[in-house]
Amino acid sequence: MEFKRNNSNCNKNKQTPNRIDARLARDFSSGLSILPQFILNWIDENNNDIITVWDQDGKIVFISKSIERLYGYKVSELLGTFWYEKISTEDFHYIKENFDKDEDSDQSFSINILNKQGKFIWTRCTTTKLKDSASNQIYFVSILKDITDKKEVEEMMIRSEKMSVAGQLAAGVAHEIRNPLTSLKGFLQLLQAGVNRKEEYYKIMIEEIDKIEAITSELLFIAKPLTDNRNIESVTSMFDDVVALLNSQAKLKNINLIKNESIDGVIYCNRSQIKQVLINLIKNAIEAMVEPGNITLEFQQCESHVEINIIDEGPGIPEEIIHKLGEPFFTTKQSGTGLGIMITKQILERHDGSLEIVNNDGQGSTFRIIFPNSKK
């Protein structure tokens, strides 16, 4: 589940969300009130969204009849209950922590709602606070939309992109593994021939096996199912893991992956997902560079957020297409799918983060990942 937030650079302020036009809402309600009842009934029964209204205590005082068709409940079953009774425990705690009852603008997030058959349905919920000017009573109006199909497509695309990443990494990994395997074979042949420097050879062989183990361990996480377990994670540690995995691919093009020595920060995240983001962006930078050079990884701590910068020395991105990056199937690469940046943005949105893409003053591009300050 994720709130939509606007993140920015260290020297920028957050944008103010659009306010609800109360007059427009009243005019709309007045217009509906003059419609015949059978038209209102048809709208209510055929609407693919669910409208709920709950009071300041969280008690549901209205719910549209579309709930019966979409989730199986009778309206009478839910009136008088509380909004949190049919959502998952995890979602309840998240909303309780993040939903701001004093905020007048729309607040959107994804939740799991339990339907009549006992199945959780992925639902997009947009909630607005409204005030009755006559009684000064505060109400919260929520529009619920079933997004199960959208979520399934997203998960399918993520799995597809992971397999694509794994395939593109195969050449570099094979190259990196072949070297220690060649060394191991040579030392085994020497030992078989009866050389006397066994202890020295054993030590080198163990080091080579450790290299292979590190590479294969990092490659395995790409195939793991997507989870949402979040913890305070070290940026340095994640950089080290990803550099170890991608270094072989970079070496094939004589590219150096340089980690800024000042990196010493943490972020609250799902480690596997953010490593997937870093792999996508660094791999894109490697593929974009046609000449040998450097890719620099930087970390910056700001007052309201933190930034991770991936800076390449490639040809840059034409200004007219930067805004298109992240659209499904839009790609500047001949064999690309156009899904890598899109999935990267989706993962960052789940973390209340964002991605900015800018061309450098000199050469290359910077992909800037922005996270809110870490919380425990």
Side-chain angles (χ1 to χ4, degrees):
M1 71 228 96
E2 67 276 6
F3 278 83
K4 289 184 176 178
R5 294 176 181 165
N6 292 313
N7 294 302
S8 58
N9 292 344
C10 294
N11 58 351
K12 294 181 182 178
N13 295 320
K14 292 185 177 181
Q15 297 178 359
T16 302
N18 293 329
R19 297 285 180 177
I20 297 297
D21 191 331
R23 183 181 57 80
L24 182 60
R26 289 195 301 271
D27 292 346
F28 178 72
S29 299
S30 300
L32 285 180
S33 65
I34 65 174
L35 292 175
Q37 187 60 42
F38 76 91
I39 293 181
L40 295 177
N41 291 339
W42 188 94
I43 293 173
D44 199 12
E45 292 172 0
N46 291 275
N47 183 23
N48 285 325
D49 295 339
I50 299 166
I51 300 173
T52 66
V53 181
W54 36 284
D55 61 22
Q56 285 181 287
D57 297 324
K59 184 179 293 185
I60 297 175
V61 297
F62 170 85
I63 191 163
S64 60
K65 289 187 68 175
S66 51
I67 190 72
E68 300 179 4
R69 177 168 47 87
L70 299 175
Y71 287 77
Y73 296 107
K74 296 290 185 183
V75 171
S76 58
E77 293 180 81
L78 299 180
L79 287 177
T81 63
F82 293 90
W83 63 266
Y84 50 79
E85 292 184 22
K86 300 299 182 184
I87 70 173
S88 67
T89 303
E90 180 185 3
D91 289 353
F92 167 69
H93 290 303
Y94 183 84
I95 294 172
K96 187 177 179 181
E97 179 183 350
N98 292 278
F99 183 73
D100 186 358
K101 286 190 174 184
D102 297 325
E103 180 61 62
D104 290 333
S105 61
D106 291 0
Q107 298 182 68
S108 298
F109 44 91
S110 297
I111 57 176
N112 280 291
I113 295 182
L114 190 69
N115 69 6
K116 184 72 171 181
Q117 291 71 42
K119 179 183 177 182
F120 279 108
I121 305 296
W122 268 110
T123 304
R124 188 68 177 174
C125 175
T126 301
T127 301
T128 299
K129 184 177 76 170
L130 296 176
K131 184 177 181 179
D132 184 348
S133 58
S135 65
N136 287 327
Q137 177 71 36
I138 299 295
Y139 294 99
F140 296 90
V141 181
S142 295
I143 298 177
L144 308 176
K145 182 185 291 291
D146 183 350
I147 58 170
T148 302
D149 292 342
K150 179 176 180 290
K151 283 288 182 180
E152 289 176 352
V153 170
E154 286 179 2
E155 299 300 329
M156 182 179 66
M157 287 192 297
I158 289 173
R159 288 194 294 270
S160 174
E161 181 66 15
K162 284 187 174 184
M163 293 305 297
S164 174
V165 171
Q168 293 178 37
L169 289 173
V173 171
H175 174 79
E176 192 71 9
I177 289 178
R178 187 182 293 117
N179 290 335
L181 284 177
T182 302
S183 300
L184 288 171
K185 182 178 180 181
F187 287 129
L188 284 173
Q189 289 172 337
L190 290 174
L191 291 172
Q192 192 176 34
V195 295
N196 295 323
R197 300 167 60 185
K198 292 183 179 180
E199 292 302 321
E200 181 180 346
Y201 290 164
Y202 287 151
K203 180 181 178 182
I204 297 174
M205 289 169 69
I206 290 174
E207 290 175 352
E208 296 298 299
I209 291 172
D210 287 341
K211 288 181 185 178
I212 295 175
E213 185 179 29
I215 293 170
T216 54
S217 295
E218 287 305 313
L219 194 59
L220 280 175
F221 95 88
I222 296 176
K224 289 181 180 178
L226 192 65
T227 62
D228 200 33
N229 298 323
R230 301 187 189 184
N231 295 289
I232 297 294
E233 300 289 352
S234 165
V235 176
T236 299
S237 175
M238 288 191 288
F239 270 162
D240 288 342
D241 290 348
V242 173
V243 168
L245 181 59
L246 293 174
N247 207 35
S248 55
Q249 187 176 350
K251 286 180 180 177
L252 293 176
K253 298 182 68 174
N254 294 318
I255 294 171
N256 300 312
L257 300 181
I258 301 174
K259 186 184 70 173
N260 190 307
E261 294 300 326
S262 65
I263 293 177
D264 188 26
V266 296
I267 55 176
Y268 180 71
C269 69
N270 178 287
R271 183 181 181 88
S272 178
Q273 291 181 26
I274 297 307
K275 283 168 66 175
Q276 176 73 51
V277 166
L278 294 174
I279 285 175
N280 286 348
L281 297 181
I282 296 173
K283 182 173 69 69
N284 282 350
I286 293 172
E287 293 171 351
M289 291 177 60
V290 294
E291 300 290 339
N294 300 322
I295 295 174
T296 305
L297 314 177
E298 293 183 348
F299 176 84
Q300 293 184 24
Q301 179 75 52
C302 303
E303 184 177 348
S304 61
H305 62 277
V306 298
E307 295 179 1
I308 294 174
N309 295 317
I310 298 170
I311 307 167
D312 65 54
E313 297 178 354
I317 304 169
E319 292 291 342
E320 63 270 16
I321 68 169
I322 283 184
H323 70 281
K324 292 185 178 181
L325 295 180
E327 294 180 5
F329 309 111
F330 177 83
T331 179
T332 58
K333 296 181 288 187
Q334 185 174 359
S335 59
T337 63
L339 298 177
I341 297 296
M342 184 195 75
I343 291 170
T344 292
K345 288 185 174 181
Q346 289 175 346
I347 292 174
L348 293 177
E349 284 177 4
R350 291 193 186 101
H351 290 76
D352 298 328
S354 62
L355 176 69
E356 292 184 357
I357 306 171
V358 296
N359 284 319
N360 303 332
D361 291 336
Q363 182 182 17
S365 304
T366 295
F367 286 72
R368 178 173 297 117
I369 306 170
I370 302 172
F371 291 102
N373 269 329
S374 301
K375 58 182 179 180
K376 296 185 179 181

